[in-house]
Amino acid sequence: MPAALKRSFAPVADEGTRVLLLGSLPGEQSLALGQYYGNPRNQFWKLMEAVTGAALEALPYPARLEALLGAGVGLWDVVETASRAGSLDAAIRNHRANSLPALAASLPALRAIAFNGGTSARLGMKALGPDVPWALVPLPSSSPAFTLPFAEKRERWLALSAFLDTGGSLS
């Protein structure tokens, strides 16, 4: 049986977006919920709490998105559609990229494009091309499948706070 065709969500970004954070393609739980980073084991929201200083995990999903936008963070995925069995990036096949250059160019305050994980970085940097005016920030994946200790992920993700003027949470 062929792998099901999966589709990414619409971008969450506005004129105040300073960091565009790109995943690869939502996993099964996220797709089922219709939410970015919907798997409760995914460390994304906890990592973004450290970056923004906002208590995101306690908020309902729509308020999480509002808080991210308020902090200057936008979300999207590198892959628009792909065949994939399960949730692992390694299973992505026949992908079609989202229009990353067009979205990025439409964000007047954009300072950096960050990539949540290696697949996002590899595909996203290729889609954007070599000559972009924004900082490109590859990050360790927030996925529970990526077993780097949380403290190490958090340290690397805190680099985003420099583009947000938040100072990040260092506690």
Side-chain angles (χ1 to χ4, degrees), residues 12-18 69-70 72-74 106-109:
V12 174
D14 63 19
E15 66 281 345
T17 298
R18 293 186 297 279
L69 286 174
V73 178
S106 76
L107 301 172

Side-chain angles (χ1 to χ4, degrees), residues 4-19:
L5 185 69
K6 311 291 168 72
R7 180 173 299 278
S8 68
F9 304 132
V12 174
D14 63 19
E15 66 281 345
T17 298
R18 293 186 297 279
V19 172

